[in-house]
Amino acid sequence: MDSDDIDRASSARRGSPFLNTEQAAAWLGLSARTLKRLRVAGQGPVFRRHCRFVQYHVDDLAAWSREQSARGIRS
């Protein structure tokens, strides 16, 4: 992840509450690959499918992140 991905995620958050996988991963500080693996395993944040596109709402990302901290889960 580079600063460009993080800038796009920040920009998307201001314009829309939905982020794609790459943006959501940058927002969480994960790789897109890790986020996809978590999604497939049913362990990641809540996501939505808009047609064929996977989208994450920033509120769901924040809630999932808080939940991980509360559980003390380590990656």
Side-chain angles (χ1 to χ4, degrees):
M1 285 180 287
D2 58 19
S3 64
D4 192 41
D5 287 337
I6 294 169
D7 291 341
R8 276 191 298 224
S10 296
S11 168
R13 184 170 183 192
R14 286 190 300 272
S16 169
F18 292 99
L19 304 176
N20 64 30
T21 301
E22 290 75 20
Q23 293 168 330
W27 196 90
L28 290 168
L30 302 172
S31 71
R33 188 175 194 166
T34 298
L35 186 55
K36 287 176 188 176
R37 285 181 182 160
L38 289 169
R39 182 174 68 229
V40 169
Q43 299 173 341
V46 173
F47 67 94
R48 295 165 175 85
R49 286 202 182 270
H50 293 239
C51 296
R52 62 185 171 121
F53 301 103
V54 172
Q55 300 283 297
Y56 294 88
H57 194 281
V58 293
D59 291 342
D60 294 331
L61 295 174
W64 182 81
S65 180
R66 279 191 305 274
E67 182 180 307
Q68 301 312 300
S69 295
R71 289 184 182 173
I73 296 174
R74 295 188 167 113
S75 48

